[in-house]
Amino acid sequence: MRSVVIAEPGKLLLEERPLPQPAAGEVRVKVNYASICGSDVHIWHGHNPFARYPRVIGHEFFGVIDATGEGVDPARLGERVAVDPVVSCGHCYPCSVGRPNVCSELQVIGVHHDGGFSEYAVAPARNAYRVPEAIPDKLASLIEPFTIAANICAFLQPKPADVALIFGAGPMGLTAIQALKNVFKVRKVIVADRLPERLAMAQENGADVVLNNSETPLATQLGSEKPTLIIDAACHPAILAEAVALASPAARIGLLGFSGEPCTVTQQSLTSKELSLFTSRLNSQRFPEVIGWLEQKLIQPEKLVTHYMPLSDVEAAMTLFEKDPRSCCKVILSIS
Ligand code: NAI
Ligand code: MN
Ligand code: ZN
């Protein structure tokens, strides 16, 4: 089989590899489509502290079960599935309280284990979620990025009365816009970005107001509008203090970033408005929820996609994705 392998930081290869056999409790998926995520680029460049090399990357993928390991119902052969990359132990404290995404022994497919930029991939059978016929093959890999929005929304509990502010109109900001507007029916969604092309995508994805904060500070542009729910999907460490300053009293703030640089906020700025801060990592069993959103046609994943490219063009696809955020948002690789 052909696989995209990061042999070592900086070295991306399209390699011929032996077909993996599913172990007990696992399935093998013949991958049809996979989407490129920022973290794939980070692993390529050696910027993901969790990655081990050599690694087959890709954690957003869709395909058909073509082999089952011991103990897995063979009736699942031929099932169309999207794979949740979060592999957890099932017995540690976070697992026991329904937070397998921060399992003490967390393993992420495409990061710690070989992933889906490959003609075949293996995964625990319980991570392979059946995709209903209503969801087309070439969009099903986008279930995973929408689970990130679902996960942070589970903490933030968006309500129709909210005025939301999202920093960043990349894939993460766009999934959050769609979830807030179309699923949670939030009254107003304001989106800030520095790139006009990304703001145009935000509008296309349902934002009510888009603000370019490259020159004029958001505080000036927002005037008396006080957001009650804020999501940082741009993830620069300076954004937290800005979000805290802009927030309405009683607002909730959701953070998605992994920067190692400090964020500086005072207790007074948080406590005087009794702000709630939430962080969210990956997703905690949110595939069924997002599959439900898709079945009900609440979300439109195609609005994130700017390019479809074949597996053979993976390096060009990842370079475009990395270097050209003005023209490129989600890239779907057709694998087989
Ligand atoms: P992206 O880089 O495509 O999008 C970020 C957007 O923010 C860009 O459009 C950029 O122009 C904009 N931006 C940068 N600085 C800004 C600022 N100060 N104000 C307003 N906009 C600004 O990235 P993507 O894929 O959307 O991911 C966003 C972040 O989310 C990344 O930092 C990533 O690490 C994080 N992430 C976190 C996950 C989690 O589970 N916690 C999962 C996936 C991504
Ligand atoms: Mn991703
Ligand atoms: Zn665990």
Side-chain angles (χ1 to χ4, degrees):
M1 65 169 187
R2 279 188 313 162
S3 307
V4 179
V5 179
I6 308 299
E8 58 189 67
K11 193 167 177 190
L12 184 148
L13 305 171
L14 195 53
E15 205 173 80
E16 193 61 35
R17 293 199 139 198
L19 202 59
Q21 296 306 319
E26 288 186 340
V27 293
R28 185 173 67 204
V29 176
K30 182 176 195 307
V31 182
N32 298 132
Y33 292 95
S35 36
I36 298 178
C37 175
S39 60
D40 300 310
V41 175
H42 292 152
I43 296 171
W44 179 19
H45 296 318
H47 298 157
N48 182 318
F50 308 111
R52 296 287 168 272
Y53 301 87
R55 177 61 61 239
V56 176
I57 53 174
H59 62 272
E60 303 177 4
F61 61 102
F62 163 83
V64 174
I65 294 178
D66 93 312
T68 51
E70 198 190 313
V72 179
D73 185 355
R76 295 198 67 184
L77 286 167
E79 192 178 303
R80 299 168 67 247
V81 293
V83 176
D84 183 346
V86 173
V87 179
S88 55
C89 78
H91 51 70
C92 68
Y93 169 74
C95 282
S96 75
V97 295
R99 311 271 291 274
N101 51 322
V102 285
C103 171
S104 324
E105 294 165 32
L106 177 67
Q107 303 281 305
V108 181
I109 295 173
V111 181
H112 307 81
H113 290 293
D114 285 342
F117 289 2
S118 178
E119 287 176 316
Y120 294 85
V122 291
R126 66 173 180 279
N127 286 55
Y129 287 88
R130 194 180 71 78
V131 172
E133 292 302 328
I135 303 174
D137 293 6
K138 61 184 196 174
L139 293 174
S141 68
L142 295 175
I143 293 168
E144 195 276 346
F146 275 94
T147 65
I148 310 292
N151 209 67
I152 196 158
C153 285
F155 287 111
L156 294 169
Q157 294 287 311
K159 298 283 185 299
D162 279 310
V163 172
L165 170 64
I166 299 173
F167 284 87
M172 286 304 107
L174 299 180
T175 59
I177 297 168
Q178 289 202 29
L180 291 175
K181 278 303 287 187
N182 307 338
V183 179
F184 297 96
K185 316 288 185 200
V186 162
R187 180 158 70 86
K188 191 181 215 182
V189 175
I190 305 167
V191 179
D193 202 294
R194 293 162 165 194
L195 302 175
E197 295 84 354
R198 283 284 169 98
L199 289 171
M201 288 199 80
Q203 244 161 351
E204 188 59 22
N205 278 267
D208 298 293
V209 179
V210 297
L211 302 174
N212 190 323
N213 63 341
S214 58
E215 280 166 18
T216 315
L218 282 182
T220 313
Q221 299 189 63
L222 285 170
S224 59
E225 184 101 86
K226 298 278 176 224
T228 60
L229 183 159
I230 301 180
I231 296 178
D232 178 8
C235 306
H236 187 280
I239 290 173
L240 176 59
E242 189 179 359
V244 166
L246 295 173
S248 159
R252 299 89 80 205
I253 299 176
L255 303 176
L256 291 168
F258 289 92
S259 168
E261 297 302 313
C263 299
T264 309
V265 288
T266 62
Q267 294 180 353
Q268 186 184 56
S269 65
L270 294 169
T271 313
S272 60
K273 294 198 269 193
E274 205 178 63
L275 300 178
S276 303
L277 290 188
F278 297 98
T279 64
S280 176
R281 179 175 185 189
L282 301 165
N283 88 93
S284 144
Q285 288 162 339
R286 307 257 167 230
F287 270 61
E289 182 179 351
V290 171
I291 288 169
W293 294 355
L294 282 160
E295 268 191 301
Q296 296 166 61
K297 307 226 179 294
L298 291 173
I299 54 171
Q300 280 95 41
E302 64 276 15
K303 291 191 172 174
L304 274 71
V305 182
T306 52
H307 296 79
Y308 285 93
M309 293 170 83
L311 182 64
S312 52
D313 287 349
V314 63
E315 185 156 353
M318 290 192 38
T319 303
L320 174 76
F321 174 86
E322 180 190 3
K323 305 281 187 207
D324 197 358
R326 291 177 189 270
S327 79
C328 183
C329 188
K330 270 296 188 191
V331 183
I332 312 267
L333 295 171
S334 50
I335 311 271
S336 58

